[in-house]
Amino acid sequence: MASESLAFYTNLEQKITAWMLGEEAVRAAIVVGSRARQEQPADDWSDLDVIFFSRTPDDYRQRLDWI
């Protein structure tokens, strides 16, 4: 189960990265929370918390099609 979870989140991170590279307004993203920890890695039930930094944050708050 752990390797399936790791593969899922690795794939998800790759998709987020690819999306970000196509979004000129998105300047950076940071993974935080349990998936970012080094000393006690995330378990199978941990989610992926990502903080995006954008030059036009209102554009992303006002619509949902990017999610």
Side-chain angles (χ1 to χ4, degrees):
M1 180 79 162
S3 63
E4 290 174 13
S5 179
L6 178 60
F8 172 83
Y9 283 105
T10 298
N11 184 39
L12 182 57
E13 288 175 359
Q14 290 171 346
K15 287 180 178 182
I16 290 170
T17 300
W19 171 80
M20 280 182 47
L21 292 174
E23 292 289 313
E24 188 175 322
V26 176
R27 307 311 295 161
I30 300 173
V31 175
V32 297
S34 59
R35 297 233 168 249
R37 283 195 312 246
Q38 295 294 316
E39 64 279 350
Q40 183 181 1
D43 59 29
D44 288 342
W45 296 276
S46 296
D47 61 353
L48 180 63
D49 302 304
V50 181
I51 298 173
F52 292 98
F53 296 87
S54 170
R55 290 188 294 185
T56 58
D58 287 337
D59 290 348
Y60 296 97
R61 283 192 285 250
Q62 293 174 2
R63 56 181 236 274
L64 299 177
D65 63 317
W66 64 273
I67 296 177

